[in-house]
Amino acid sequence: MDQPLLELKNIECRHRGVIAVENLNLHVNQGDLVCLLGPSGCGKTTVLRAIAGFQPLHRGEIRLREQRISYPGYTLAPEKRHIGMVFQDYALFPHLDVCGNITFGLRNLGKSECKRLANEMLEVVGLAGMGDRYIHELSGGQQQRVALARALAPRPELILMDEPFSNLDIDMRERLSNEVRQILKQQGTSGILVTHDQHEAFAMGDQISVMSEGHILQRDTAYNLYHSPANRFVADFIGQGVFVRGTLVSPETVKTALGTISGDRAYEWDPGTEVELLLRPDDIVYDPEGALQGKVLQRAFKGAEILYTLQLEDETEVLSLFPSHHDFAIGEQVTVSLALDHMVVFPL
Ligand code: ATP
């Protein structure tokens, strides 16, 4: 197999002597879009800054195109790495027009070549014809596209994005993350996106690395993170759901207050092990013939669906997603059944 474009091997970064990132491995192949997803303070930005060359390494090494660009005592300067960067605040120059911003770093190109490249990049990011506007004459989403065009203009193989859509409203965020994904795929540019927003990560990444306290806990597709979380942190952080206590009675079966539930996975712990079973809102479905009764505690209208918080007869609270036409008021009783595709349990 080809060598990865970028490889982080057991890196450790410290701030004022305190470990922020520890024993972290990450690779990005040519054309991959990888997201680092995790809560505030988990070390995402530190990893990105280490890749960019702004953060020295205390241990480990970083290789780009097989060249060692960072190791303890050595950090290749950021401008020599040929990596594109897009930041949260866009960092655009207000005194330059859009074309001037896009070609700012390309001093060795002639004027007409700059113009041609800027126009080409504007075409790529969907802003054709806006080259002579000033930054204050653009919306937030348009400014973010200019920042992307500027990062793409020197044709880097790798582009780093730190919370690039966080200043935009939710609709725009999801739309732009999809669009940026398409643009990077079209250009064959690899990307690393740092975000705490899982929807952004789902929209953008081929693979998502979930981080907590300076470590990567799981790297997987969005589907697998949701349906096969490797540990309780990932299960809790990705998607919604509740944990219900139970006892493993066989490798594939758990006894809970909601009944005895069997799944498609075998767990290796001994029968009798106390476990927690993950129940996602889509695991509990509206079913007039169902065996479980629940009282509506809360409801959140989501358009096509309504997310209900239900209190079952044994007082367990669960979340359940009903198609929107099954409209129940707070306090009403509803009948549901369990429809688990995958059984996810963790030992207590
Ligand atoms: P956020 O999503 O809030 O940006 P993050 O996951 O990107 O968070 P980092 O910015 O990498 O996290 O920070 C990781 C840890 O290192 C945090 O505990 C933070 O307080 C600490 N840290 C980051 N930068 C510095 C610094 N320059 N000096 C001291 N501590 C720092």
Side-chain angles (χ1 to χ4, degrees):
M1 199 183 132
D2 289 346
Q3 283 296 313
L5 172 67
L6 177 80
E7 205 172 5
L8 278 59
K9 288 187 186 167
N10 297 318
I11 70 159
E12 179 176 312
C13 301
R14 299 183 177 196
H15 297 296
R16 299 168 181 263
V18 179
I19 295 177
V21 169
E22 194 178 19
N23 214 358
L24 184 135
N25 292 288
L26 181 77
H27 67 271
V28 178
N29 291 324
Q30 192 74 51
D32 272 357
L33 295 180
V34 174
C35 293
L36 291 177
L37 171 68
S40 180
C42 71
K44 308 177 295 286
T45 299
T46 304
V47 174
L48 211 68
R49 287 173 53 82
I51 298 169
F54 296 115
Q55 170 75 43
L57 297 191
H58 200 80
R59 287 180 207 272
E61 63 173 32
I62 301 180
R63 285 175 180 261
L64 182 65
R65 301 172 209 97
E66 295 187 46
Q67 185 202 349
R68 288 173 89 205
I69 55 170
S70 287
Y71 49 88
Y74 175 76
T75 311
L76 179 70
E79 64 276 11
K80 297 202 170 129
R81 297 186 172 211
H82 307 293
I83 293 176
M85 276 177 267
V86 182
F87 298 105
Q88 182 175 346
D89 60 2
Y90 318 147
L92 297 171
F93 300 114
H95 63 285
L96 295 177
D97 64 9
V98 165
C99 274
N101 268 282
I102 293 174
T103 55
F104 182 76
L106 307 169
R107 283 156 204 259
N108 49 353
L109 289 187
K111 219 173 173 183
S112 64
E113 182 58 10
C114 270
K115 188 103 194 141
R116 195 199 56 73
L117 183 62
N119 284 334
E120 186 190 326
M121 288 301 133
L122 284 173
E123 191 88 41
V124 167
V125 299
L127 291 181
M130 294 203 181
D132 54 5
R133 292 230 194 147
Y134 280 84
I135 301 306
H136 70 269
E137 296 172 317
L138 300 174
S139 72
Q142 290 167 334
Q143 290 181 29
Q144 191 50 286
R145 285 166 210 255
V146 174
L148 179 67
R150 182 176 63 183
L152 288 172
R155 306 222 180 270
E157 282 175 285
L158 177 65
I159 197 159
L160 308 178
M161 293 164 278
D162 193 353
E163 305 266 3
F165 313 116
S166 60
N167 289 341
L168 306 174
D169 63 52
I170 293 179
D171 281 353
M172 191 63 182
R173 220 183 275 176
E174 234 168 289
R175 213 174 78 206
L176 206 56
S177 28
N178 260 313
E179 272 185 42
V180 170
R181 179 186 164 80
Q182 279 168 21
I183 291 169
L184 294 180
K185 287 283 174 194
Q186 257 167 27
Q187 304 278 306
T189 310
S190 311
I192 304 179
L193 169 81
V194 156
T195 179
H196 63 272
D197 179 339
Q198 49 187 290
H199 301 292
E200 212 170 283
F202 292 168
M204 184 92 160
D206 302 315
Q207 294 259 303
I208 298 158
S209 290
V210 179
M211 281 188 73
S212 168
E213 297 182 354
H215 298 269
I216 290 178
L217 299 187
Q218 186 174 0
R219 172 181 171 141
D220 226 318
T221 58
Y223 183 91
N224 285 343
L225 291 175
Y226 187 81
H227 291 292
S228 310
N231 53 54
R232 205 183 183 289
F233 179 88
V234 176
D236 211 18
F237 188 70
I238 300 288
Q240 289 177 300
V242 296
F243 291 96
V244 173
R245 288 179 78 135
T247 311
L248 209 61
V249 290
S250 81
E252 303 93 9
T253 312
V254 176
K255 198 169 155 211
T256 72
L258 315 186
T260 300
I261 299 160
S262 288
D264 58 348
R265 283 172 205 171
Y267 291 91
E268 63 204 21
W269 309 298
D270 293 333
T273 303
E274 296 290 303
V275 293
E276 285 183 300
L277 168 74
L278 172 65
L279 288 178
R280 298 285 194 201
D282 41 324
D283 292 332
I284 298 175
V285 296
Y286 175 66
D287 179 359
E289 312 289 313
L292 296 168
Q293 278 277 327
K295 185 169 104 176
V296 175
L297 292 183
Q298 278 179 47
R299 41 171 285 143
F301 185 73
K302 306 254 178 209
E305 285 144 336
I306 301 176
L307 180 68
Y308 289 100
T309 306
L310 303 176
Q311 186 177 49
L312 303 180
E313 281 155 313
D314 72 315
E315 309 249 301
T316 309
E317 284 183 23
V318 294
L319 298 170
S320 179
L321 211 49
F322 289 9
S324 192
H325 50 271
H326 295 305
D327 190 12
F328 296 98
I330 289 175
E332 255 187 277
Q333 289 289 333
V334 293
T335 320
V336 292
S337 60
L338 289 175
L340 262 79
D341 281 338
H342 311 289
M343 191 175 77
V344 176
V345 301
F346 300 105
L348 267 175

